[in-house]
Amino acid sequence: MASIENLMEEKVTNDDQTLELNGRSIARYSISELLQLREIYKREAFKESDDLSSSFMRRVDSAFNESRKATEAEMKHATPIVQ
């Protein structure tokens, strides 16, 4: 996303849309294209971040449940303390 924002800043100072040299041409992205790309990458980054958080929470829940099951199993086989 930083690359897109850098291109946008450059675009503000250098507004040549195309450049031709020795029969070869280079076209720059328009501001609207850069804005669209930035929004796409922002959504993707947010989605990946959200997916990672959800995955982490599922692993924590799974580990907690396994630990709880192991503790319950140990408690069933524990010898009661008689005083």
Side-chain angles (χ1 to χ4, degrees):
M1 210 163 41
S3 298
I4 293 171
E5 289 174 355
N6 288 339
L7 285 171
M8 289 173 64
E9 288 175 10
E10 181 182 326
K11 177 74 176 153
V12 171
T13 60
N14 185 354
D15 204 23
D16 295 330
Q17 194 66 21
T18 59
L19 172 67
E20 189 168 336
L21 183 62
N22 294 328
R24 300 186 79 167
S25 64
I26 299 173
R28 295 178 178 261
Y29 287 108
S30 68
I31 289 289
S32 63
E33 290 171 321
L34 290 172
L35 288 170
Q36 288 173 339
L37 286 172
R38 184 174 68 171
E39 289 306 311
I40 289 169
Y41 284 114
K42 275 175 141 177
R43 282 193 299 268
E44 286 296 316
F46 180 76
K47 182 178 178 279
E48 287 177 11
S49 172
D50 195 38
D51 289 346
L52 288 174
S53 295
S54 296
S55 175
F56 174 74
M57 290 308 296
R58 281 192 301 274
R59 288 194 311 265
V60 168
D61 286 343
S62 177
F64 175 78
N65 287 333
E66 290 299 317
S67 176
R68 182 178 50 81
K69 288 176 187 175
T71 301
E72 288 173 354
E74 288 174 11
M75 296 299 286
K76 284 182 183 178
H77 300 294
T79 305
I81 299 175
V82 179
Q83 293 186 358

